[in-house]
């Protein structure tokens, strides 16, 4: 099993380390043809406007969307979650999201006072409750969801981790906290056991 990490921007190297810690094979994906032959894909955080423009420039947006719609499992964090969203609250003109995940998201939703913060979270990974420190950095907020989106974790009543089919998406950064439970859960999704 090989997991591709989008290598355009963000915590690419930290995701790689987590995959290694979880005993999973990885590769960096920077071009559309590198999406061939991968079993799962990680969309890191960063700046969603930049990542979105780069995906378009490298003609990766359409291919990536097709692959995900065809069932490529995805783990998305922060800006990656923004990119997957069906709708963006205020700011749809700045970014063209892939429109795959049935959520409406508000970018930079926690304001200046709370640009980045850490909170203990309880997340539900396939029936197992895991504790994780949620690291939020200029985080977006999921303000609506529909169509069979499962909420796996919340903070202040908003979903911070969701699952829809083979997609898991977070508004926090699992690569910045201890442990590999999220990555192991992703492995189970790829294997089809959850
Ligand atoms: N605020 C960023 C955006 O909307 C996301 C920040 C992050 O990925 N840590 O693109």
């Amino acid at each position: 099993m090989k997991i591709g990490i989008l290598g355009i921007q963000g915590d690419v190297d930290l995701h790689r380390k987590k995959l290694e810690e979880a005993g999973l094979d990885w590769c960096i994906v920077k071009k559309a043809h590198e999406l061939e032959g991968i079993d799962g894909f990680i969309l890191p955080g960063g700046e969603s406007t930049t990542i979105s423009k780069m995906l378009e420039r490298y003609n990766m947006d359409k291919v990536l969307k097709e692959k995900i719609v065809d069932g490529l499992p995805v783990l998305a964090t922060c800006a990656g979650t923004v990119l997957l969203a069906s709708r963006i609250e205020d700011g749809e003109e700045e970014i063209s999201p892939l429109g795959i995940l049935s959520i409406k998201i508000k970018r930079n939703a926690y304001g200046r006072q709370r640009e980045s913060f850490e909170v203990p979270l309880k997340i539900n990974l396939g029936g197992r409750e895991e504790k994780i420190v949620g690291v939020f950095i200029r985080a977006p907020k999921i303000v609506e969801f529909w169509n069979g989106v499962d909420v796996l974790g919340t903070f202040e009543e908003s979903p911070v981790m969701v699952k829809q089919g083979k997609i898991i998406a977070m508004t926090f950064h699992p690569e910045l906290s201890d442990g590999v439970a999220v990555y192991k859960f992703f492995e189970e999704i790829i294997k089809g056991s959850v």
Side-chain angles (χ1 to χ4, degrees):
M1 177 192 301
K2 187 169 274 188
I3 298 176
I5 308 168
L6 182 69
I8 290 178
Q9 206 204 28
D11 286 340
V12 181
D13 208 46
L14 291 177
H15 283 295
R16 174 188 66 77
K17 285 191 182 137
K18 287 290 187 196
L19 291 177
E20 286 182 355
E21 202 180 321
L24 297 165
D25 215 359
W26 57 272
C27 64
I28 304 293
V29 173
K30 289 187 175 173
K31 301 204 171 79
H33 73 89
E34 292 166 343
L35 288 166
E36 297 304 323
I38 57 167
D39 306 292
F41 189 60
I42 293 184
L43 262 173
E47 210 44 58
S48 49
T49 35
T50 311
I51 303 174
S52 156
K53 281 190 191 111
M54 299 292 262
L55 284 175
E56 281 172 27
R57 188 173 307 160
Y58 294 130
N59 294 318
M60 254 177 98
D61 51 336
K62 287 193 185 67
V63 189
L64 181 60
K65 181 168 178 169
E66 267 170 36
K67 293 250 173 220
I68 301 173
V69 170
D70 279 355
L72 176 69
V74 182
L75 182 165
T77 65
C78 208
T81 300
V82 174
L83 285 169
L84 289 181
S86 292
R87 290 169 58 202
I88 296 182
E89 188 168 290
D90 319 321
E92 222 130 348
E93 62 290 340
E94 279 177 37
I95 166 172
S96 25
L98 297 172
I100 302 168
L101 182 62
S102 303
I103 60 169
K104 181 177 178 187
I105 201 157
K106 183 173 169 49
R107 296 180 61 207
N108 306 312
Y110 292 92
R112 291 194 116 207
Q113 297 297 324
R114 289 166 86 188
E115 272 216 324
S116 51
F117 57 97
E118 295 186 6
V119 281
L121 298 172
K122 285 184 190 147
I123 51 176
N124 181 339
L125 303 181
R128 287 184 316 272
E129 190 178 270
E130 291 281 343
K131 291 189 174 129
I132 187 169
V133 175
V135 180
F136 293 84
I137 304 168
R138 296 189 314 283
K141 194 183 274 186
I142 296 170
V143 291
E144 276 176 45
F145 59 95
W146 56 94
N147 260 1
V149 167
D150 288 327
V151 175
L152 307 188
T154 56
F155 170 61
E156 293 179 342
E157 284 157 39
S158 298
V160 291
M161 179 167 188
V162 294
K163 177 174 184 296
Q164 185 177 26
K166 289 177 183 293
I167 299 174
I168 46 172
M170 285 140 271
T171 56
F172 59 94
H173 287 262
E175 76 282 9
L176 290 173
S177 48
D178 289 341
V180 290
V182 167
Y183 298 83
K184 283 288 195 189
F185 182 55
F186 189 44
E187 179 185 15
E188 287 175 46
I189 291 173
I190 297 172
K191 284 183 175 159
S193 45
V194 282

